[in-house]
Amino acid sequence: DVKVTQSSRYLVKRTGEKVFLECVQDMDHENMFWYRQDPGLGLRLIYFSYDVKMKEKGDIPEGYSVSREKKERFSLILESASTNQTSMYLCASSLPGTALGYTFGSGTRLTVV
Amino acid sequence: AQSVTQLDSQVPVFEEAPVELRCNYSSSVSVYLFWYVQYPNQGLQLLLKYLSGSTLVKGINGFEAEFNKSQTSFHLRKPSVHISDTAEYFCAVTEPGYSTLTFGKGTMLLVSP
């Protein structure tokens, strides 16, 4: 069974901390994505990557960065966590193009206190 | 730019009743359309997709959707819902050659006995 695995289901961090959210896929997908999900706002794209060491900003990249050193791993970094970054974070992967849709991980619920 | 409007944030329905979840999109060119389902505390799972061809698309768990180009709609239907269908449903759009999906804000389907 193909998988996208997010390393933590729940995280609690303090304001100002540097936070790493990790995502690993075992499908040899080229594309990987980070979305945040908030009630009433749906899914909003933070960053995506279409190849190792390549990244593109999504709709809401402010306050975030990403790293993709290996094809299977895509990390989301909150440089200095703030309370307005409390959210559900969803990782996804896909083959090139979007005709087959995405495969999503189970999500990481991050609370910044 | 693409956008998706899910007209209802919440749809309450009784078990075994039919349901329709509405989705409208805006795009000036050909599109790919998707419906995803999110069960509580889980990631998103693909229900069905429209790429081309027949405008009536059948998906998993008895769901189907109809692509209507003139009305720019892609409504999701099920003739008889179960308690287990209680979940949040997301419509998404993209265009051939794009790398990312644009999601709607979601519709919460609440099925009661």
Side-chain angles (χ1 to χ4, degrees):
Chain A
D1 196 16
V2 294
K3 274 191 174 176
V4 176
T5 303
Q6 294 183 234
S7 54
S8 305
R9 288 301 306 275
Y10 300 95
L11 275 180
V12 180
K13 297 293 182 180
R14 294 194 182 279
T15 301
E17 274 193 79
K18 191 169 185 175
V19 180
F20 293 85
L21 302 184
E22 306 289 346
C23 176
V24 176
Q25 51 97 1
D26 64 0
M27 296 167 284
D28 202 33
H29 282 172
E30 282 77 7
N31 296 345
M32 296 188 75
F33 309 86
W34 277 107
Y35 284 84
R36 65 176 281 176
Q37 181 182 8
D38 300 288
L41 297 179
L43 277 70
R44 293 178 292 166
L45 181 64
I46 305 171
Y47 268 97
F48 69 100
S49 168
Y50 52 88
D51 202 352
V52 175
K53 297 191 185 295
M54 306 303 290
K55 61 184 179 184
E56 294 282 344
K57 292 181 180 179
D59 300 317
I60 53 164
E62 297 78 18
Y64 303 94
S65 62
V66 290
S67 172
R68 193 163 180 205
E69 296 295 319
K70 293 185 178 181
K71 189 176 185 179
E72 67 270 19
R73 186 180 294 270
F74 191 36
S75 303
L76 180 69
I77 304 158
L78 285 66
E79 298 290 345
S80 177
S82 64
T83 55
N84 63 12
Q85 293 177 310
T86 291
S87 187
M88 170 70 90
Y89 290 88
L90 292 167
C91 176
S93 71
S94 76
L95 291 167
T98 47
L100 297 179
Y102 295 169
T103 301
F104 280 88
S106 298
T108 296
R109 187 167 293 281
L110 173 67
T111 302
V112 182
V113 297
Chain B
Q2 307 152 12
S3 67
V4 176
T5 303
Q6 292 186 242
L7 296 158
D8 306 294
S9 59
Q10 226 175 60
V11 173
V13 64
F14 289 109
E15 194 174 19
E16 297 183 10
V19 71
E20 178 179 83
L21 306 183
R22 297 180 292 170
C23 172
N24 286 90
Y25 67 92
S26 69
S27 175
S28 59
V29 295
S30 61
V31 292
Y32 296 155
L33 292 155
F34 303 81
W35 275 100
Y36 282 85
V37 59
Q38 185 181 35
Y39 298 105
N41 298 315
Q42 294 187 26
L44 277 68
Q45 177 182 343
L46 182 65
L47 263 183
L48 50 80
K49 62 186 178 197
Y50 170 80
L51 304 182
S52 64
S54 173
T55 57
L56 185 63
V57 180
K58 293 192 183 297
I60 61 171
N61 300 339
F63 284 93
E64 63 182 31
E66 185 159 19
F67 170 60
N68 187 319
K69 188 173 183 178
S70 63
Q71 297 187 6
T72 60
S73 68
F74 190 55
H75 301 333
L76 181 69
R77 301 185 182 105
K78 187 170 183 178
S80 175
V81 295
H82 303 291
I83 297 284
S84 59
D85 292 323
T86 293
E88 191 154 24
Y89 292 79
F90 292 92
C91 183
V93 67
T94 190
E95 295 170 8
Y98 264 53
S99 297
T100 63
L101 301 183
T102 299
F103 287 85
K105 294 184 178 181
T107 298
M108 187 70 205
L109 176 63
L110 299 166
V111 183
S112 54

